[in-house]
Amino acid sequence: MKLNKLLVLASVTAMLGATVAGCSSSTTQEQGGGATNNNKAPAQEIRINLAAEPPALDSSIATTNPSFTILNAVNEGLYRLDADGKPQPALAKELPKISPDGLVYTVTLRDGLKWADGSALTANDFVWAYQRTLDPATKAKYASMLAWIKGGNDLNKAKPEELEAKKAALGIKAKDDKTLEITLERPVAFFVDQLAMPLFFPQKADFVTKQADKNGADADKVLGAGPFKLEKWDHEQQLVMVKNENYWDAANVKLNKVTVNIVKDPNTSLNMFETNQVDLTVLRGEQAKMFQGKPELAIKKEFVSAYVMFQNKKNPAFGNAKIRQALGMAIDRKAYNEVVLGGTSIPSTGLVPGTMLDGNKQEFRKTAGDTQSAFDVAKAKALLAEGLKELNMTALPKFKLTSDDTETSKKTIEFIQAQWKQNLGVDVDGEPLPFALRVKNMQENNFDALIALWGADYNDPMTFLDMWLSDNKSFNYVQYNSQAYDDLVKGADKEVDLAKRAKLLADAEKTLMTDAPIYPLYFRTSPYAKNANVDGLILPAMSKEWELRWVSIK
């Protein structure tokens, strides 16, 4: 995550559904958005299907796409990303004033900001939130991103007796109730964009403290200052949000109600769209082809990669690079995209998605080229045999392939099981799990091989590459350890020459793909079905499923 990662996460990241919108029926519009047949104004309500339950709605600890999506609706940062991915003033009155050396950001808040409960929101709510996220006791996976702030790393590693002094020294100060001053350790070109992420949202100290470890766990334990507020949360079934009348720009928020259904089965989700039970839902597999050429089809271009992770420590065989390479090389990524995803995504050629920039104003994939090995059964068999010989094994020990329990994820497991059986003679047990449990096991390194997705937190390769540093305890779930890789990524982090930095990042990806602790499958492009009367919807390339701030029903 560096952020996203969440992800995606992520990004943070998971095999999440895209949104689908359905064709409106004039005789049933009272159920949701759209005009009725008696010429009444359309109800400003939207109904959406989401394929996974948010694990937690706590901006300090959230790492997943569903959590970021809901948090972005019920809370807000200093800035909010628009349809072009550009930061626009949100709780901040204007864009920050940045010192000539790029280290000090001075931000002025809007007048009269309030939390959803009507209490005053001040600059100190940002200071407290950042301190809480960096407090070692919070165990925030994304703390490394806030460590860009001066003193952040020291606070995140502080001993109990040092804690208060390190908090006081942290480079974020409330100069008064409306003025924040943030000082960075080093210049970060995309820092203003980052301030729009949930990780950088304010938190109300007395509310969060009262909830303790249950903060964000239920509707009555979520408090934000965003365009909506969470009214109901029936776990694994539905979340209901309503307009927040205390939002600073409530007059220009058109939606009065948002209903989010947790629907894992893509066929059920599509049927709900076609029967006008929802206005937006993601399409899976062959479903997108049904909407080709129709106005209901909406395409979300994403900075999201899917991959198989091999746990290097838990399964001794996966400590061998040749075995990891063999298993990856034995998966036909083009066939997978066609058979399982219906041709909607792009077979991977590396870890970093295609149109992401390299930090030097070029597309990273053009800078790095294809760093991932091609599908090659003969070479995969040879590598497997060599790896087994090096480990004095005659066959791979039985292991599990874990993923989510959505239909697409189950089909992914089945496809890879068949590929490994047919191409390598390797049997593997499939383990589909509920999203929250899959994430929990992943974060605890409790898996053999696991399918995950990671969504970018910012438009730079580092958001995908620093996850796999040997000392990244937050996101290096495979426990990959390579000094050569570490040197390249950390060298890029310090390099000020942008062309040299881009080259270091490209070399780092090549090293990662050769060692294959993870093996990418595809770069995600998500098709949605969207009701034609839904106007102003944004399908962001990063971190979130959708953005509802500017939506209205025509």
Side-chain angles (χ1 to χ4, degrees):
M1 266 161 352
K2 9 6 136 120
L3 207 341
N4 176 333
K5 231 91 61 241
L6 201 240
L7 178 214
V8 126
L9 161 217
S11 43
V12 1
T13 11
M15 298 203 94
L16 305 177
T19 26
V20 189
C23 306
S24 304
S25 168
S26 62
T27 60
T28 58
Q29 284 291 247
E30 289 89 348
Q31 299 177 15
T36 64
N37 59 356
N38 57 2
N39 296 319
K40 289 183 179 179
Q44 294 300 315
E45 301 179 5
I46 190 171
R47 305 149 303 167
I48 303 171
N49 284 347
L50 191 63
E53 164 102 345
L57 294 178
D58 181 331
S59 56
S60 284
I61 64 174
T63 63
T64 70
N65 192 300
S67 295
F68 291 151
T69 301
I70 303 299
L71 281 167
N72 186 64
V74 301
N75 206 351
E76 187 164 80
L78 296 166
Y79 305 99
R80 183 176 286 266
L81 301 184
D82 63 17
D84 297 320
K86 303 298 184 183
Q88 300 298 332
L91 296 182
K93 179 181 180 180
E94 57 194 6
L95 292 175
K97 294 180 174 62
I98 306 173
S99 63
D101 61 5
L103 296 179
V104 181
Y105 289 63
T106 302
V107 183
T108 302
L109 302 186
R110 295 180 184 276
D111 294 334
L113 292 176
K114 295 180 181 180
W115 290 100
D117 64 2
S119 59
L121 187 157
T122 72
N124 278 305
D125 294 321
F126 287 91
V127 176
W128 189 85
Y130 295 7
Q131 290 176 346
R132 174 177 179 253
T133 300
L134 285 163
D135 188 329
T138 304
K139 298 180 180 178
K141 295 286 185 179
Y142 268 144
S144 59
M145 189 172 294
L146 271 174
W148 295 340
I149 297 174
K150 187 175 182 180
N153 194 53
D154 290 340
L155 173 53
N156 194 230
K157 295 180 178 179
K159 297 176 182 178
E161 64 272 18
E162 303 173 327
L163 202 58
E164 292 309 313
K166 298 298 184 184
K167 286 183 178 180
L170 185 65
I172 177 168
K173 309 295 181 185
K175 309 299 285 186
D176 54 49
D177 283 352
K178 289 179 52 184
T179 309
L180 272 174
E181 183 180 271
I182 305 172
T183 304
L184 304 183
E185 290 280 5
R186 63 183 183 281
V188 178
F190 43 80
F191 188 65
V192 179
D193 297 27
Q194 291 310 97
L195 292 172
M197 289 184 55
L199 182 70
F200 292 88
F201 285 0
Q203 298 176 32
K204 186 177 177 181
D206 56 358
F207 180 88
V208 173
T209 301
K210 180 180 178 181
Q211 309 311 321
D213 62 352
K214 299 298 182 181
N215 184 55
D218 291 292
D220 62 349
K221 296 176 177 60
V222 174
L223 178 65
F228 306 98
K229 56 186 178 181
L230 188 59
E231 183 178 69
K232 184 175 73 170
W233 188 357
D234 293 332
H235 290 281
E236 296 294 343
Q237 296 183 53
Q238 189 180 80
L239 298 94
V240 177
M241 297 179 286
V242 296
K243 182 175 178 177
N244 175 17
E245 296 297 344
N246 285 314
Y247 181 55
W248 67 269
D249 197 29
N252 291 310
V253 174
K254 303 305 181 185
L255 290 176
N256 293 316
K257 183 178 180 181
V258 179
T259 301
V260 180
N261 305 301
I262 308 303
V263 183
K264 298 177 182 179
D265 181 73
N267 294 321
T268 300
S269 191
L270 177 59
N271 181 64
M272 291 176 70
F273 179 79
E274 293 182 323
T275 56
N276 196 38
Q277 297 177 63
V278 295
D279 305 293
L280 184 68
T281 189
V282 72
L283 300 172
R284 293 302 190 193
E286 297 291 319
Q287 293 178 344
K289 295 180 180 179
M290 300 168 53
F291 289 84
Q292 290 297 327
K294 296 183 179 181
E296 292 86 358
L297 181 64
I299 300 297
K300 179 180 182 178
K301 298 178 180 179
E302 302 179 278
F303 293 154
V304 175
S305 291
Y307 43 78
V308 182
M309 298 193 293
F310 301 105
Q311 223 299 324
N312 287 202
K313 305 295 183 184
K314 185 172 184 287
N315 190 313
F318 293 157
N320 185 280
K322 291 180 179 178
I323 288 177
R324 301 192 301 261
Q325 292 166 0
L327 290 169
M329 205 176 296
I331 301 171
D332 187 336
R333 303 191 295 278
K334 291 183 179 179
Y336 168 78
N337 182 50
E338 292 297 327
V339 172
V340 178
L341 304 179
T344 59
S345 289
I346 302 169
S348 59
T349 54
L351 175 61
V352 179
T355 56
M356 174 161 275
L357 299 180
D358 66 355
N360 191 34
K361 300 181 180 180
Q362 305 295 321
E363 289 186 11
F364 181 77
R365 290 266 52 93
K366 293 179 180 178
T367 299
D370 294 352
T371 61
Q372 189 176 1
S373 56
F375 171 61
D376 189 329
V377 175
K379 189 172 182 179
K381 286 181 178 178
L383 285 168
L384 179 61
E386 292 172 18
L388 290 173
K389 184 176 181 180
E390 290 174 2
L391 296 174
N392 294 317
M393 293 180 177
T394 57
L396 277 182
K398 201 68 174 288
F399 65 94
K400 292 180 180 179
L401 177 61
T402 303
S403 191
D404 298 336
D405 60 355
T406 64
E407 286 305 306
T408 299
S409 295
K410 290 176 182 177
K411 289 178 180 178
T412 297
I413 290 176
E414 292 168 0
F415 182 89
I416 294 176
Q417 282 178 308
Q419 290 275 287
W420 285 345
K421 177 64 175 178
Q422 175 182 333
N423 297 332
L424 296 177
V426 171
D427 288 306
V428 57
D429 293 330
E431 185 182 42
L433 297 175
F435 179 70
L437 179 56
R438 193 273 294 169
V439 171
K440 179 176 182 292
N441 286 356
M442 179 180 70
Q443 292 177 342
E444 295 175 353
N445 311 120
N446 183 25
F447 63 92
D448 295 317
L450 183 145
I451 302 160
L453 289 90
W454 183 259
D457 299 313
Y458 46 92
N459 191 355
D460 187 89
M462 190 64 81
T463 191
F464 283 92
L465 296 175
D466 68 359
M467 297 172 65
W468 314 107
L469 290 169
S470 57
D471 59 0
N472 189 331
K473 306 303 181 185
S474 295
F475 299 107
N476 185 0
Y477 304 124
V478 297
Q479 297 179 283
Y480 174 58
N481 190 330
S482 165
Q483 188 62 53
Y485 183 77
D486 289 355
D487 290 345
L488 289 166
V489 174
K490 292 184 177 181
D493 194 39
K494 297 175 183 177
E495 181 57 65
V496 295
D497 183 306
L498 298 183
K500 291 180 179 179
R501 179 181 182 272
K503 177 64 164 55
L504 288 169
L505 291 171
D507 289 344
E509 190 194 57
K510 292 172 185 176
T511 299
L512 187 70
M513 293 297 91
T514 298
D515 289 347
I518 63 171
Y519 204 85
L521 297 171
Y522 63 91
F523 304 142
R524 191 170 73 176
T525 298
S526 294
Y528 284 72
K530 179 179 72 70
N531 212 323
N533 61 1
V534 175
D535 188 51
L537 178 74
I538 297 173
L539 298 175
M542 298 182 289
S543 301
K544 302 174 289 292
E545 286 294 309
W546 25 258
E547 166 66 77
L548 305 178
R549 163 71 169 83
W550 295 283
V551 169
S552 64
I553 305 300
K554 296 187 294 184

